[in-house]
């Protein structure tokens, strides 16, 4: 797996070539994430259980003497312009979303950054988080941008505020009404731990994930999803409608018994969406308990239930993801597997015995209809500064 050091190397090399051999003053990183369980629960005030990945977005750069911001990416599609230039935002001239699309993730954070007027700077972005793979490439870019600005403006600000600002930027500049999970874990991730996040109170419980006998395998279906499509906002709207009809602020406040008792008030679709969310919130809390007592079998069983609910009730899976899960759970030593992230492509996450990892990869490789990419991964730290000698 490409670690921070290789991504950093790529960014520094590009910086040197583009800016007359100079060395960047600032180097920061922010991780992507994989969610172990608790899908489409964050914007319903529920629980999620993600971990930060060693796949990261790196930004290196230096302050300029004028108000120009010049950013180069080595990470985004070949059909997109790789360099953008604009003036640092001022009250009378705010930044607005536009093209290329990747720059909106950066511009949004710069526009919403509150800890001081942003000065001009040159920067290079590099990333090892696969784009559109459901591992939070966009949140990691937002959080890396914020972390870079903190260095530029000497601000050691509030971590929750940082995640919330990045989420707001995704809403307003990328047009995706996402929950808080991706930005939160990218900021708060902890090495060797998954985080149980209560998305209503934002309380975090770190759960150790460092058992050498247990491994986490991510499989990229290499089918790309587009969260800016209508499906994600549509699901969110259906959940809000269901909560309203059931007389509550969010589906977190609705019990399974209440849902069943008031079933007739909901359309079939809203009922199914609500059933996924309510059962998924319960599964996530049970899974966290199972993890705490080292009961991986139970955790894996809940993962498969989660996948089935996402497939049948929430309808955000796709044939490739269903196939990857079905193939993975055939392998002896696999505890469970499920789609992870927003859905409609992207990745699955599989919990398994470490000794079964090679066997699982080979089995999936030989049976899956497409060409998968594997990441045998570890829970990693949240965003930070890279100290370069
Ligand atoms: C995407 C969103 F950005 C998250 O907030 C979350 O809703 C997830 O889909 C589904 O669990 O990654």
């Amino acid at each position: 797996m490409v670690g921070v050091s290789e991504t950093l190397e790529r960014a520094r090399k590009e910086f040197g070539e583009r800016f007359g051999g100079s060395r960047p003053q600032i180097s920061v990183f922010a991780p992507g994430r994989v969610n172990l369980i608790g899908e489409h629960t964050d914007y319903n005030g529920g629980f999620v259980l993600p971990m930060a990945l060693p796949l990261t977005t790196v930004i290196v750069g230096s302050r300029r003497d004028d108000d120009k911001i010049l950013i180069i990416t080595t990470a985004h599609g070949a059909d997109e312009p790789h360099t953008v230039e604009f003036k640092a935002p001022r009250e009378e001239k705010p930044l607005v979303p536009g093209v290329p699309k990747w720059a909106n993730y950066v511009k949004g954070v710069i526009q919403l950054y509150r800890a001081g007027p942003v000065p001009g700077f040159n920067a290079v972005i590099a990333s090892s988080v696969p784009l559109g793979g459901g591992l939070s490439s966009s949140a990691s870019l937002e959080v890396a941008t914020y972390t870079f600005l903190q260095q530029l403006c000497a601000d050691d600000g509030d971590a929750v505020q940082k995640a919330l600002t990045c989420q707001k930027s995704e809403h307003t500049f990328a047009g995706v009404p996402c929950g808080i999970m991706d930005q939160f874990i990218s900021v708060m991730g902890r090495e060797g731990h998954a985080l149980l996040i209560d998305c209503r109170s934002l309380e975090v419980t770190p759960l150790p994930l460092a058992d050498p006998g247990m491994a986490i395998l991510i499989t990229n279906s290499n089918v790309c999803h587009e969260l800016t499509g209508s499906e994600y906002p549509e699901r969110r709207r259906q959940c809000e409608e269901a909560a309203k009809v059931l007389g509550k602020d969010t589906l977190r406040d609705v019990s399974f018994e209440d849902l069943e008792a008031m079933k007739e008030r909901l359309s079939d679709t809203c009922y199914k969406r609500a059933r996924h969310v309510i059962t998924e919130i319960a599964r996530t809390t049970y899974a966290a308990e199972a993890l705490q007592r080292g009961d991986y079998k139970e955790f894996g069983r809940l993962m498969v239930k989660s996948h089935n609910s996402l497939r049948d009730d929430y309808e955000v899976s796709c044939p490739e993801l269903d196939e990857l899960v079905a193939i993975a759970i055939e392998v002896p030593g696999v505890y469970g597997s499920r789609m992870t992230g927003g859905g409609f492509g992207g990745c699955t996450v599989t919990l398994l015995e470490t000794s079964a990892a090679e066997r699982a990869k080979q089995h999936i490789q030989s049976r899956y209809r497409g060409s998968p990419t594997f990441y045998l991964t570890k829970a990693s730290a949240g965003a930070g500064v890279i100290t370069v000698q």
Side-chain angles (χ1 to χ4, degrees), residues 33 35 38-43 48 134-136 138-139 167 170 176-183 225 227 232 236 310 314 338-343:
R33 63 96 188 92
N35 188 22
E39 218 66 81
H40 290 278
T41 50
D42 58 352
Y43 52 84
V48 293
L135 300 179
S136 281
S138 40
Q167 180 198 23
E170 177 119 6
V176 182
C178 63
I180 188 61
M181 169 169 70
D182 300 353
Q183 291 79 11
H225 72 156
L227 271 184
Y232 188 92
R236 190 168 178 157
L310 288 157
Y314 219 64
R338 58 184 286 279
M339 57 153 280
T340 185

Side-chain angles (χ1 to χ4, degrees), residues 49 206-209 211 214 282-302 335 351:
L49 187 55
L207 302 178
L209 250 197
D211 178 347
M214 185 270 281
R283 276 187 292 274
T284 307
T285 56
Y286 299 147
E289 287 162 18
L291 193 62
Q292 263 165 330
R293 49 174 204 272
D295 187 349
Y296 304 137
K297 271 198 178 152
E298 174 63 2
F299 195 100
R301 196 185 67 78
L302 291 162
Y335 298 114
L351 191 80

Side-chain angles (χ1 to χ4, degrees), residues 103-130:
N104 291 331
Y105 297 101
V106 180
K107 280 186 189 168
V109 174
I110 297 175
Q111 175 59 33
L112 297 174
Y113 188 68
R114 286 284 167 265
V118 175
F121 63 86
N122 296 327
V124 171
I125 301 167
S127 185
S128 54
V129 189

Side-chain angles (χ1 to χ4, degrees), residues 51 84 139 313:
M51 64 180 218
V84 288
D313 274 357

Side-chain angles (χ1 to χ4, degrees), residues 10-11 14-15 19 58-61 71-74 122-126:
R10 204 160 2 114
E14 180 76 20
F15 191 90
F19 300 109
V58 166
I59 304 183
V60 301
I71 306 172
I72 297 154
T73 182
T74 65
N122 296 327
V124 171
I125 301 167

Side-chain angles (χ1 to χ4, degrees), residues 23-179:
R23 281 168 151 257
Q25 295 157 351
I26 298 168
S27 303
V28 299
F29 78 97
R33 63 96 188 92
V34 66
N35 188 22
L36 300 177
I37 195 162
E39 218 66 81
H40 290 278
T41 50
D42 58 352
Y43 52 84
N44 288 295
F47 289 95
V48 293
L49 187 55
M51 64 180 218
L53 293 173
L55 300 167
T56 59
T57 297
V58 166
I59 304 183
V60 301
S62 297
R63 198 182 181 119
R64 297 172 57 107
D65 296 331
D66 57 15
D67 63 354
K68 186 156 122 183
I69 295 179
L70 197 164
I71 306 172
I72 297 154
T73 182
T74 65
H76 296 85
D79 50 344
E80 297 248 34
H82 282 196
T83 305
V84 288
E85 262 187 56
F86 49 92
K87 286 201 165 177
R90 297 292 173 255
E91 216 170 309
E92 62 289 1
K93 196 137 194 343
L95 298 177
V96 288
V99 285
K101 268 161 79 182
W102 65 265
N104 291 331
Y105 297 101
V106 180
K107 280 186 189 168
V109 174
I110 297 175
Q111 175 59 33
L112 297 174
Y113 188 68
R114 286 284 167 265
V118 175
F121 63 86
N122 296 327
V124 171
I125 301 167
S127 185
S128 54
V129 189
L131 298 182
L135 300 179
S136 281
S137 51
S138 40
S140 74
L141 177 54
E142 290 151 4
V143 173
T145 303
Y146 198 108
T147 311
F148 182 84
L149 297 181
Q150 286 183 296
Q151 290 306 300
L152 206 61
C153 301
D155 144 45
D156 51 10
D158 177 68
V160 171
Q161 199 47 51
K162 178 173 175 176
L164 289 169
T165 303
C166 292
Q167 180 198 23
K168 188 165 175 203
S169 157
E170 177 119 6
H171 288 189
T172 53
F173 272 67
V176 182
C178 63

